[in-house]
Amino acid sequence: MSKSLKASTEGLAVADRARKRLGWTKTSTARWWQDAHTSRATLRRFWHGDRIQREIFIAICAAVGISDWQAIAEPCEADFDPAIPESPPIRDWQEAPDLDSFFGRDRELAQLEQWIPTAKIILISGIGGIGKTALTLALADSIQLQFQGVIWRSLHHSPSVEALLDSLLSTLEGTSVTNLAKGTTQLLHHLKHRRYLLILDGLEAVLQSRELETEYSHFLQILSRDRHQSCILITTREPPQAISLEGQNCQGLTLWGLRNTAAVDLLKSRGLTGKELGISALIQLYRGNPFALKIVTPLIQTVFGGNVAAFLNQNTLIVGDRLRNLLHQQLERLSDLEREILYWLAIWQEPVSFCRLQIHFLVLVDPAALLEGIANLERRSLLESWFGEESSAFTLQPLVMKTVQDELVERATAEMQRVVQSHDIRYFKVLRSLMLVRPGTDDIAGDKIINQLRENLWQIYGATLPQTLQNVLALLSDKSPLAVGYIGCNAIALLQPLDL
């Protein structure tokens, strides 16, 4: 009997269906090669249709539930000789993460595969936790044989362009970069003469620095305009404005949440059967964000015994520290106007029209600037748009809403403490420019943000809080209406339940 086996074309199709049922990628799910007691490199060779040792072939099949491994194996006449080395194309996945599951995204994969033959740069963008890296891994798994080399580089540690080039050229030719211009020319030489798939994961990290943002924008513009036969695949929470996504050379895909069927499959893989009441409502609450669903599932199981409806009855949203940090990083990139737009939408907690939003700004905002701010927030996947017959409205998806509300309360709490200590109302920023009670509502007691702020202040000032707020109101007596803004309204709203 042959000591080595390889999968037939039909056998690979059977294996592909088996791994999809488990939510596994072809080569990026660590559990697969770990359960088979082999390596990622060997698993890739399995998918390439290469011959591998018989015992490992059987173990790979068994890991995804294929017991009849003979049915997917192609008969081999000669034994595998490990002493005869192959010369495979470059496959540098060292910086690629491992994944525990991957569900859905068939339409997105089809669209990306359609772009691959002609696009020089493809941007996959979307909010934190939406699955950009997972989609990229799944895509690279399926198309890698179309390329003579695949190189994955993470940008999460914010390397300079020169450091990135040095790393790439070290893999491609074993040399170091002497200067930026020469390194770019050397890379282009490789991209022209062989077809490479170059993956840059986490572009948003380098956009935190103005200097790095300029460097990378220039670098990527060169790669998109120069003639070569390779493809650069980029994931980012924030698409860089300097790159034009027009024509076949450069394409962009904004990633949204999982569709209901795929999200249900994900929850099933985490122990929720899909029969519990409220599964669809849970998916909608988190807008199909796969990372958020993975975070909340263990809590539902341990605290609520898997009862999704009981969790939803708490009327709360669990974000998790890691996802909260991702969202905060995105918020830190916003301009003052963009942040104020988010704050107003977080206060309203419902879709708001452009005109209604515009009239509540303390200082008149140029409509063009406000429209540009809204467009930038939509580009970052932070807004949801609602279109009616006569007008459109904007709101925040729940994960963003929760994060922005918490940040707003934290900032308002810090401002109040500073003003109380200094007796100087110039330290009021959000409490001056924003009315924290939803405009037009009389339900102050039930308002989420003002309630949360009052609780924070009560923990700090205790029974002295009413007098503290009265003292703040006294500071406003000789100030101009513009200097006061919404401070008085907010202080009175905080006082009302305390005066009962």
Side-chain angles (χ1 to χ4, degrees):
M1 183 178 291
S2 175
K3 297 177 183 177
S4 66
L5 295 170
K6 68 175 182 178
S8 65
T9 302
E10 296 79 8
L12 288 176
V14 172
D16 196 44
R17 290 192 292 271
R19 64 96 185 169
K20 284 181 178 178
R21 284 194 292 270
L22 294 173
W24 290 3
T25 58
K26 285 185 175 179
T27 62
S28 299
T29 301
R31 183 177 169 185
W32 195 347
W33 69 78
Q34 289 169 357
D35 284 1
H37 302 289
T38 187
S39 66
R40 176 188 277 183
T42 302
L43 186 55
R44 288 201 188 97
R45 295 185 62 231
F46 169 86
W47 283 108
H48 292 167
D50 296 338
R51 299 174 66 187
I52 60 177
Q53 292 180 9
R54 178 175 177 274
E55 293 77 11
I56 294 177
F57 183 95
I58 295 171
I60 287 174
C61 293
V64 288
I66 300 173
S67 56
D68 187 10
W69 56 268
Q70 295 95 333
I72 76 166
E74 185 173 285
C76 298
E77 293 80 14
D79 287 347
F80 171 68
D81 185 357
I84 303 175
E86 298 180 7
S87 53
I90 292 174
R91 294 287 186 261
D92 186 349
W93 297 80
Q94 292 186 20
E95 295 187 17
D98 297 332
L99 292 178
D100 58 351
S101 62
F102 180 79
F103 295 93
R105 303 300 192 195
D106 293 339
R107 294 182 192 175
E108 292 87 348
L109 285 169
Q111 177 64 81
L112 292 167
E113 289 176 5
Q114 183 180 338
W115 286 337
I116 284 292
T118 55
K120 292 179 181 177
I121 289 184
I122 297 176
L123 285 168
I124 300 177
S125 61
I127 199 168
I130 207 66
K132 301 178 293 295
T133 299
L135 176 63
T136 305
L137 280 164
L139 175 68
D141 271 342
S142 65
I143 65 171
Q144 58 182 306
L145 293 181
Q146 301 176 28
F147 296 87
Q148 294 167 289
V150 178
I151 303 176
W152 185 293
R153 287 293 179 266
S154 171
L155 303 182
H156 291 102
H157 57 292
S158 303
S160 65
V161 171
E162 188 169 336
L164 174 64
L165 285 168
D166 190 75
S167 172
L168 293 172
L169 292 175
S170 175
T171 295
L172 291 169
E173 60 185 40
T175 63
S176 299
V177 171
T178 54
N179 64 70
L180 187 57
K182 185 177 179 181
T184 303
T185 302
Q186 288 173 263
L187 176 63
L188 283 169
H189 172 80
H190 289 282
L191 299 182
K192 290 175 182 177
H193 287 82
R194 299 188 79 189
R195 182 159 165 75
Y196 287 102
L197 178 63
L198 173 59
I199 301 162
L200 304 179
D201 184 31
L203 182 68
E204 70 279 346
V206 300
L207 301 181
Q208 304 298 319
S209 160
R210 186 57 62 96
E211 181 181 353
L212 285 179
E213 182 178 17
T214 302
E215 273 188 21
Y216 272 85
S217 294
H218 179 66
F219 174 63
L220 294 175
Q221 283 175 350
I222 292 174
L223 295 184
S224 67
R225 293 172 183 171
D226 209 281
R227 296 184 64 181
H228 61 78
Q229 59 176 321
S230 299
C231 181
I232 296 88
L233 192 58
I234 302 169
T235 72
T236 180
R237 294 199 294 271
E238 177 183 337
Q241 289 180 298
I243 299 178
S244 173
L245 296 179
E246 297 179 357
Q248 292 184 323
N249 282 352
C250 201
Q251 300 285 357
L253 175 71
T254 300
L255 197 60
W256 302 100
L258 292 174
R259 293 173 184 84
N260 197 74
T261 302
V264 169
D265 288 341
L266 184 152
L267 293 172
K268 284 181 180 178
S269 74
R270 300 265 158 175
L272 295 181
T273 66
K275 297 180 181 179
E276 292 89 348
L277 292 174
I279 282 285
S280 294
L282 178 69
I283 294 168
Q284 176 60 19
L285 177 64
Y286 284 93
R287 295 300 192 265
N289 187 302
F291 187 57
L293 291 172
K294 290 176 184 179
I295 289 172
V296 74
T297 302
L299 181 139
I300 293 174
Q301 290 172 321
T302 56
V303 178
F304 298 94
N307 188 330
V308 177
F311 166 75
L312 294 173
N313 286 338
Q314 302 304 310
N315 195 28
T316 189
L317 197 71
I318 304 300
V319 179
D321 290 341
R322 187 177 169 192
L323 183 54
R324 185 182 294 107
N325 289 338
L326 293 177
L327 294 173
H328 274 305
Q329 289 171 15
Q330 221 168 337
L331 297 182
E332 288 171 3
R333 289 275 300 160
L334 302 181
S335 67
D336 290 341
L337 176 59
E338 291 164 354
R339 190 181 290 266
E340 189 165 349
I341 293 171
L342 288 190
Y343 284 160
W344 274 117
L345 295 178
I347 291 167
W348 262 299
Q349 304 174 47
E350 63 186 14
V352 178
S353 68
F354 177 81
C355 293
R356 189 179 176 196
L357 176 65
Q358 187 181 21
I359 62 174
H360 283 93
F361 277 82
L362 184 63
V363 178
L364 184 64
V365 178
D366 178 13
L370 188 56
L371 284 170
E372 183 179 356
I374 290 172
N376 286 337
L377 292 170
E378 285 188 308
R379 183 173 59 86
R380 293 179 168 100
S381 305
L382 294 172
L383 289 191
E384 289 185 348
S385 298
W386 296 69
F387 298 102
E389 293 183 2
E390 298 181 357
S391 64
S392 58
F394 310 94
T395 188
L396 307 180
Q397 60 170 285
L399 286 171
V400 179
M401 182 85 72
K402 171 66 173 171
T403 303
V404 173
Q405 287 175 344
D406 289 346
E407 180 185 285
L408 177 54
V409 170
E410 289 172 9
R411 289 190 64 178
T413 303
E415 286 180 8
M416 184 67 74
Q417 287 181 276
R418 194 159 188 185
V419 170
V420 169
Q421 292 170 356
S422 66
H423 305 287
D424 188 345
I425 68 166
R426 288 179 298 178
Y427 291 114
F428 279 133
K429 303 296 182 186
V430 298
L431 285 169
R432 171 181 170 269
S433 60
L434 301 162
M435 183 161 62
L436 301 189
V437 177
R438 285 174 290 173
T441 182
D442 296 325
D443 183 23
I444 294 178
D447 195 283
K448 184 179 295 185
I449 291 180
I450 207 75
N451 247 349
Q452 194 174 337
L453 176 58
R454 188 184 301 110
E455 290 174 6
N456 279 12
L457 295 174
W458 184 268
Q459 290 178 7
I460 296 169
Y461 299 106
T464 66
L465 179 58
Q467 185 57 53
T468 300
L469 293 172
Q470 292 289 357
N471 294 341
V472 168
L473 286 170
L475 296 174
L476 310 179
S477 59
D478 58 346
K479 303 298 188 299
S480 70
L482 185 60
V484 171
Y486 290 113
I487 299 171
C489 297
N490 289 322
I492 291 171
L494 288 166
L495 267 171
Q496 281 191 14
L498 301 175
D499 291 338
L500 297 177

